[in-house]
Amino acid sequence: MRVLFAFIVVLCFGTPLFSQQAADTATFTPMFKRGVKYQIKTNIGTVHSGFVVNETKEFITLEYRSTQDRLEIRKSEILSFKVMSQKENKVEDALGENPHADSYILSSTAFPFEAGSSRSNTHWLLIQNIDYAFNENWAITMNSFLFYPTSVGFKAHFKIDAMNYIGANGFVMGDILAKTSSRSAVALWGFNGFGKYTHGTTNNNFTIMGGVLGINSELLPGLTSNPFINLGFANVSYCNRFAKHVSVNAEAWFFPQSQGGIGGLSIKWLRDEHLAWNFGCYMLIENYTTSLAPSLNTMPIPYLGYYRKFD
């Protein structure tokens, strides 16, 4: 059973999910904080109040949370602006929107994507996750190990209201060169599908997740005569951004059939809107129904993550 559980860990987290963004490539210094509510007066006398959701070199985009309508304003037409009081700005706090809120450590949130965006997330500098978003709700996801592709799938994220979001992920894992080489290899390693629910703002939120991991039985001979070994799992993750450049993240993964689990804690350094580093550790729990006490078999595993967005 220990071998099976170790194999689950390698498959589950050795095939991550990635994202990149393609937008205005021009370099500029942002004037506004995303996620903060502003009152903006233009040179023709109009006044607009809304949350900044996007900014480029020439434009800003405001969102009216009550109707979810959006308005694009040319920066050259702005006469003056001010941040609304914190009492008026209840949805996001004064830190502004967290630009790296889509992921915790290994798990992810259900916040909507930025249309046409892409980003990459690297674990232990070995496993790379990349997503490309077609729109706010749908993205394609690919995973690689040392730049060798290992999985492909999709992500679907939907906004219920200002504080609640739902999503689903699905992908298949395998060896893309298994049938093109002389070596004996299993082409399809398995599949993974799960749903998730996120509550909160980009600075303070939690996500609950549950799904099924299917492992090709050829990879673990003798355990079953079925084509796949199907294992259920659950996850709870939490993020708290308590400073402009720092957030704390926590995760707990549970695998009921193997009675094993994984717990992780990290500090994410948000260098800027495009770069973030994640420093933390994970601990394996072999049998959480018996004891949660650490042992030589559950020594903390150091974690290092590198996150990048491309504009």
Side-chain angles (χ1 to χ4, degrees), residues 21-26 54 56 114-117 310-311:
Q21 289 200 37
D24 188 355
T25 57
N54 191 39
T56 65
E114 293 182 37
S117 71
F310 302 90
D311 288 336

Side-chain angles (χ1 to χ4, degrees), residues 1-307:
M1 183 59 72
R2 184 178 299 178
V3 174
L4 174 58
F5 179 66
F7 198 85
I8 295 172
V9 173
V10 171
L11 270 185
C12 217
F13 303 118
T15 57
L17 318 161
F18 14 165
S19 297
Q20 301 179 12
Q21 289 200 37
D24 188 355
T25 57
T27 301
F28 69 98
T29 302
M31 296 172 55
F32 302 86
K33 290 183 179 180
R34 290 198 300 174
V36 169
K37 190 173 184 180
Y38 288 84
Q39 184 181 86
I40 296 174
K41 185 176 182 179
T42 67
N43 55 14
I44 61 173
T46 58
V47 178
H48 307 280
S49 298
F51 292 85
V52 172
V53 294
N54 191 39
E55 179 179 3
T56 65
K57 187 176 181 180
E58 297 182 359
F59 295 89
I60 64 164
T61 304
L62 294 183
E63 180 180 78
Y64 304 103
R65 292 286 167 86
S66 59
T67 62
Q68 297 189 4
D69 292 331
R70 293 189 176 188
L71 173 68
E72 196 172 64
I73 302 175
R74 188 180 291 274
K75 287 183 177 180
S76 60
E77 297 176 353
I78 296 176
L79 183 63
S80 63
F81 63 88
K82 70 172 184 177
V83 177
M84 304 295 282
S85 69
Q86 200 157 2
K87 183 177 180 180
E88 296 168 301
N89 187 4
K90 296 179 180 179
V91 177
E92 286 285 352
D93 54 40
L95 291 173
E97 184 173 316
N98 183 354
H100 304 290
D102 60 294
S103 64
Y104 296 98
I105 309 175
L106 297 174
S107 65
S108 60
T109 66
F111 291 124
F113 308 106
E114 293 182 37
S117 71
S118 57
R119 55 202 171 198
S120 67
N121 196 8
T122 304
H123 307 289
W124 292 287
L125 304 181
L126 298 173
I127 303 165
Q128 189 180 37
N129 314 318
I130 298 174
D131 297 342
Y132 175 78
F134 299 106
N135 52 45
E136 291 187 348
N137 303 120
W138 294 92
I140 185 172
T141 180
M142 298 172 288
N143 315 305
S144 65
F145 179 77
L146 290 176
F147 304 105
Y148 185 82
T150 57
S151 75
V152 64
F154 74 92
K155 289 182 178 181
H157 293 176
F158 299 94
K159 179 179 180 179
I160 300 175
D161 55 39
M163 297 288 285
N164 298 286
Y165 308 82
I166 57 173
N169 292 26
F171 59 89
V172 293
M173 305 168 285
D175 185 348
I176 61 173
L177 299 180
K179 301 302 181 182
T180 62
S181 63
S182 58
R183 59 192 173 89
S184 176
V186 177
L188 180 61
W189 297 345
F191 63 88
N192 195 355
F194 54 89
K196 53 189 174 181
Y197 163 74
T198 297
H199 174 80
T201 69
T202 59
N203 292 322
N204 194 333
N205 59 78
F206 69 86
T207 295
I208 301 173
M209 180 190 306
V212 175
L213 171 67
I215 304 172
N216 192 327
S217 58
E218 293 182 43
L219 299 174
L220 296 169
L223 290 181
T224 180
S225 59
N226 296 323
F228 292 93
I229 302 171
N230 297 315
L231 301 170
F233 66 89
N235 166 271
V236 178
S237 301
Y238 173 73
C239 169
N240 181 16
R241 181 188 181 197
F242 57 89
K244 180 179 180 180
H245 294 289
V246 186
S247 69
V248 61
N249 299 273
E251 291 182 1
W253 295 83
F254 304 98
F255 301 92
Q257 286 154 281
S258 63
Q259 296 185 356
I262 308 172
L265 184 66
S266 77
I267 296 293
K268 184 181 287 187
W269 176 49
L270 314 173
R271 198 190 81 168
D272 53 37
E273 187 176 344
H274 306 286
L275 283 175
W277 287 87
N278 215 354
F279 306 93
C281 65
Y282 263 88
M283 186 178 76
L284 304 178
I285 302 171
E286 289 189 323
N287 193 336
Y288 58 75
T289 62
T290 303
S291 174
L292 294 177
S295 67
L296 292 178
N297 294 326
T298 59
M299 291 296 291
I301 302 171
Y303 173 82
L304 174 63
Y306 175 71
Y307 182 92

